[in-house]
Amino acid sequence: MRVAGITKNGDWTFCRGRASYRTKSDAIAQNVITNLKCLVNDWFLDIEYGIDWYYLLGNKGTQDQIIKSVSSMTLSTFGVRRVLSVEILTIDSNRFATIQLKYIDIFDNEFSQGVPIEVTG
């Protein structure tokens, strides 16, 4: 698997040849983050794809739903074999959350990632 690289700011990396791409476990890790940040109704080819972050971060008592949604989206990402844990580190009234995620990919690598989620608008 090979995917175009994305910087920490969410910009695509270009003009660096093969260094602009991610492969194997790095590609899977990037796809996990990209999928988790995907909002429902944002992708014109499948408006039901993504997580309803507006609802989940805009209402109280949705922590269990957040954990289930993150687990499901992570597990549905190609290359993820098993989700080990999902933990909500922070959540605030400005629709910002930080999710700590641990999973094992198809290359038997264990990843622990902090994923910031911010919904504006």
Side-chain angles (χ1 to χ4, degrees):
M1 173 189 329
R2 180 183 291 185
V3 297
I6 296 178
T7 67
K8 291 183 181 187
N9 295 331
D11 296 326
W12 286 23
T13 57
F14 288 109
C15 303
R16 293 178 30 215
R18 290 184 183 191
S20 295
Y21 294 93
R22 306 286 181 261
T23 59
K24 298 184 181 182
S25 291
D26 289 337
I28 294 167
Q30 180 175 296
N31 285 342
V32 167
I33 292 172
T34 302
N35 287 344
L36 290 178
K37 291 185 175 191
C38 187
L39 298 170
V40 166
N41 272 339
D42 252 8
W43 190 30
F44 69 95
L45 292 175
D46 185 355
I47 60 172
E48 293 181 14
Y49 186 81
I51 296 177
D52 192 357
W53 287 116
Y54 284 107
Y55 170 77
L56 293 174
L57 296 179
N59 292 295
K60 295 183 181 200
T62 58
Q63 288 84 355
D64 288 341
Q65 287 176 284
I66 291 171
I67 291 170
K68 287 178 186 176
S69 294
V70 168
S71 295
S72 176
M73 182 62 76
T74 302
L75 199 53
S76 71
T77 302
F78 177 79
V80 174
R81 194 173 58 172
R82 183 174 46 189
V83 174
L84 300 174
S85 67
V86 176
E87 182 181 354
I88 302 170
L89 299 179
T90 62
I91 190 167
D92 67 26
S93 60
N94 295 323
R95 291 192 171 131
F96 178 82
T98 304
I99 311 295
Q100 183 67 35
L101 173 65
K102 290 183 181 181
Y103 64 90
I104 296 175
D105 68 15
I106 57 174
F107 300 106
D108 288 327
N109 292 318
E110 183 176 319
F111 277 81
S112 179
Q113 295 180 239
V115 182
I117 305 293
E118 184 174 11
V119 180
T120 57

